[in-house]
Each structure stands twice: as C-alpha cells, then as structure tokens.
Amino acid sequence: MAQHQIDPDTLPYDPERLPAKPPVSIDTFFSVDLRVGRVLDVEDFPKARKPAWRLTVDFGPHVGVLRTSAQVTNYPKEELLGRTVVGAVNLPPKRIAGFESQCLLMGGLAPDGTVTLLELPGELPPGATVA
C-alpha cells in the first residue's frame, strides 16, 4: 500500500522551514499597539481572493470599533461572535477587495497557513493592552 506523500512546498509556514527573523529593538516591538477586542459581527466576504470573514471588533473606549478581513474561515461565524481576540490596532489600513481592513488579528499559523486565533484565559475587557 503506497503511503501518502506530503509536498513540502504546500506547507509555507512549516516551522522546519522558517528561519528566525532578525532582531528588532525593544522600542520597535513596543510601538505595535496590541489590544484585547471582542468580535461584534461576522460577515461573509465573497470578494476576497482567499476565503475570509469581515469582522467588526470592539477594542474599547480609546480605540473604538474597527473592521478587519481575517482568513479564519476555519472558525464558524457562531464561534467567532463574542469571542475575545488580540489585534494590532495601529497599523495602517489596508484595502482588500474594496474593503478597508483597519486592524490585524493575532494567531498562530499551522504549516498549511491555517490560523488559530490567540486565546486569552479569564475575562479582560475590550481595550486592555497586551504586553
């Protein structure tokens, strides 16, 4: 019986193939504003080239509500609604298929690129900073 061979070129985020990035200064690292957010809405995004949701996320009173395109269709809508997430909220907006993505959600990448969103145990309010 032939064993299934996995093509390593189809695993772009395989930790065995990804070298470490060069060092950055602590000031550069801390210039990224990472905040706790709560997903308020999840919409289909049929215009995206890769499967994605359009998410509306509340990042608290000082940041406010931001929208993002996220390639996290491995999560059903119901599992995302109300979920606590971590997002980078001070990156420049990016246009994706005519949609302005205003933040970037944080997650781990499986070797095939599937995103597993970061989880925060306990109950932190939207807008809490991530250190």
Side-chain angles (χ1 to χ4, degrees), residues 35-37 57-65 125-128:
R35 299 287 182 122
V36 173
V57 183
D58 177 10
F59 285 104
H62 294 287
V63 175
V65 174

Coordinates of all heavy atoms in Angstrom, one line a residue, residues 35-37 57-65 125-128:
R35 N -4.0 45.1 21.4 CA -5.2 45.2 22.3 C -6.1 44.0 22.3 O -6.2 43.3 21.3 CB -6.0 46.5 21.9 CG -5.3 47.8 22.0 CD -5.1 48.3 23.4 NE -4.4 49.6 23.3 CZ -4.9 50.7 23.9 NH1 -6.1 50.6 24.5 NH2 -4.2 51.8 23.8
V36 N -6.8 43.9 23.4 CA -7.9 42.9 23.5 C -9.1 43.5 22.8 O -9.4 44.6 23.0 CB -8.2 42.6 25.0 CG1 -9.4 41.7 25.1 CG2 -6.9 42.0 25.7
G37 N -9.8 42.6 22.1 CA -11.0 43.0 21.4 C -12.1 42.0 21.5 O -11.8 40.8 21.9
V57 N -14.8 44.4 15.3 CA -14.3 44.1 16.6 C -14.3 45.4 17.5 O -13.8 46.5 17.0 CB -12.8 43.6 16.5 CG1 -12.3 43.2 17.8 CG2 -12.8 42.4 15.5
D58 N -14.8 45.3 18.7 CA -14.7 46.4 19.7 C -13.4 46.3 20.5 O -13.2 45.3 21.2 CB -15.9 46.2 20.7 CG -15.9 47.3 21.8 OD1 -15.1 48.2 21.7 OD2 -16.7 47.1 22.7
F59 N -12.6 47.3 20.3 CA -11.3 47.4 21.0 C -11.3 48.4 22.2 O -10.3 48.9 22.6 CB -10.2 47.7 20.1 CG -9.8 46.6 19.2 CD1 -10.2 46.5 17.9 CD2 -9.0 45.5 19.7 CE1 -9.8 45.5 17.1 CE2 -8.7 44.5 18.9 CZ -9.0 44.4 17.6
G60 N -12.5 48.7 22.7 CA -12.6 49.5 23.9 C -12.8 51.0 23.6 O -12.8 51.4 22.5
P61 N -12.9 51.8 24.7 CA -13.2 53.2 24.6 C -12.2 54.1 23.9 O -12.5 55.0 23.3 CB -13.5 53.6 26.0 CG -12.7 52.7 26.9 CD -12.7 51.3 26.1
H62 N -10.9 53.8 24.0 CA -9.9 54.6 23.4 C -9.6 54.3 22.0 O -9.2 55.2 21.2 CB -8.6 54.6 24.3 CG -8.9 55.3 25.6 ND1 -9.0 56.6 25.8 CD2 -9.0 54.7 26.8 CE1 -9.2 56.9 27.0 NE2 -9.2 55.7 27.7
V63 N -9.8 53.0 21.6 CA -9.5 52.6 20.2 C -10.8 52.6 19.4 O -10.8 53.1 18.3 CB -8.8 51.3 20.1 CG1 -8.6 50.8 18.7 CG2 -7.5 51.3 20.9
G64 N -11.8 52.1 20.0 CA -13.1 52.0 19.3 C -13.4 50.7 18.5 O -12.7 49.7 18.7
V65 N -14.3 50.8 17.7 CA -14.7 49.6 16.9 C -14.0 49.7 15.5 O -14.0 50.7 14.8 CB -16.2 49.6 16.6 CG1 -16.6 48.5 15.7 CG2 -17.0 49.5 18.0
P125 N -11.3 43.1 29.6 CA -12.3 44.0 28.8 C -11.7 44.4 27.5 O -10.4 44.5 27.4 CB -12.4 45.2 29.8 CG -11.1 45.3 30.5 CD -10.7 43.8 30.7
P126 N -12.6 44.7 26.5 CA -12.1 45.3 25.3 C -11.2 46.5 25.5 O -11.6 47.4 26.4 CB -13.3 45.6 24.5 CG -14.3 44.6 25.0 CD -14.0 44.5 26.5
G127 N -10.1 46.6 24.9 CA -9.2 47.8 25.0 C -8.0 47.5 25.9 O -7.1 48.3 26.0
A128 N -8.1 46.4 26.7 CA -6.9 46.0 27.6 C -5.7 45.8 26.7 O -5.8 45.3 25.6 CB -7.2 44.8 28.3

